[in-house]
Amino acid sequence: MTQSETTPVADHAAAAPSVTSSMAVPAVHVNAAETEEAVESAGVSKTKQSKSVTFILALFAGAFIGFGALFFLIVTCDPAMTWGPKRFVGGLAFCMGLILVLCCGAELFTGNSLMASNLAARRISLPALVRNWVIVWFGNLLGALILVALIAMAGTMGLNDGLVGETAVSTAISKVTLDPLTLFARGVLCNVLVCLAVRIGYSSRSTADKVLGILLPISGFVAMGFEHCVANM
């Protein structure tokens, strides 16, 4: 091949911009202002949903958290596990519930408590906030009760020679025998970590980021014995 035949190709290659240098590198970090805007925009969208859509999404969220609670019971019913590892592993199992809620777009009462920041920023009205909370709370309750009925029909409480059911009963007894002040304090502390987990979800750029960000706050509140009102349903 002659020099004249190769020169145009070489000139073209030299003149062409580098693909690597011309490609924009996406930002991997979401700053606090962007996260706050995402949280507030989502809160505004929630108040604009129809009541029926909000209620159906709340039904799913109640069931999703119920799945997480059931997963917790199954992995913690082994009497051979010591207390600390049992709490941590159980907490990781419970994370499944909030992962399903955030990744599938369901409406969870505890997560929607974060909408109070929208009220503080005057992005939504108090009646709109209360309406969302009431619809979502009752939707979560009905979704949890539907799951309870299905679990009863499936005989899941009889797994591991009935230890799953025994663990469920003992867990429920330990919760209902607490004094009101203790329950309230544990509920507040739980919701702090839940709202932080939801906020981390809004700061994520991928599903993997969201899942990883949820793990420690949620497993942490479970391990520390805080009280999640929807899981308690």
Side-chain angles (χ1 to χ4, degrees):
M1 185 178 293
T2 65
Q3 183 178 359
S4 61
E5 292 173 319
T6 59
T7 300
V9 176
D11 290 343
H12 176 73
S18 170
V19 173
T20 304
S21 62
S22 64
M23 290 178 62
V25 179
V28 296
H29 174 69
V30 179
N31 62 40
E34 291 174 320
T35 301
E36 181 61 28
E37 178 58 32
V39 170
E40 292 184 7
S41 297
V44 171
S45 298
K46 290 174 184 291
T47 61
K48 293 181 178 179
Q49 285 179 162
S50 68
K51 295 177 182 178
S52 59
V53 169
T54 300
F55 188 75
I56 291 170
L57 292 176
L59 280 176
F60 280 111
F64 291 161
I65 295 299
F67 280 126
L70 179 61
F71 198 6
F72 167 86
L73 293 173
I74 289 172
V75 301
T76 59
C77 72
D78 183 0
M81 292 182 68
T82 56
W83 187 84
K86 180 183 290 188
R87 302 293 296 183
F88 179 66
V89 173
L92 289 177
F94 182 80
C95 288
M96 181 182 74
L98 194 64
I99 289 171
L100 290 173
V101 168
L102 292 186
C103 293
C104 299
E107 294 284 344
L108 181 65
F109 176 76
T110 51
N112 281 15
S113 297
L114 196 57
M115 292 170 64
S117 64
N118 296 68
L119 183 65
R122 298 182 179 180
R123 297 280 297 272
I124 61 175
S125 65
L126 180 59
L129 176 65
V130 173
R131 181 174 61 250
N132 177 271
W133 282 357
V134 170
I135 294 172
V136 170
W137 191 90
F138 280 103
N140 288 168
L141 176 61
L142 183 57
L145 292 177
I146 291 172
L147 182 65
V148 166
L150 291 172
I151 289 171
M153 289 186 285
T156 308
M157 292 293 109
L159 294 177
N160 198 11
D161 295 326
L163 283 177
V164 174
E166 292 177 14
T167 303
V169 172
S170 63
T171 300
I173 291 173
S174 68
K175 292 176 181 294
V176 299
T177 53
L178 293 172
D179 64 273
L181 181 60
T182 300
L183 278 172
F184 179 78
R186 291 185 182 185
V188 170
L189 291 169
C190 168
N191 226 38
V192 168
L193 290 173
V194 170
C195 286
L196 286 172
V198 172
R199 194 176 181 88
I200 289 172
Y202 284 118
S203 71
S204 304
R205 291 199 179 275
S206 69
T207 301
D209 293 344
K210 189 175 294 187
V211 171
L212 289 174
I214 287 170
L215 292 181
L216 285 180
I218 301 304
S219 61
F221 95 68
V222 175
M224 288 182 272
F226 300 153
E227 298 293 338
H228 190 281
C229 66
V230 179
N232 286 0
M233 292 174 178

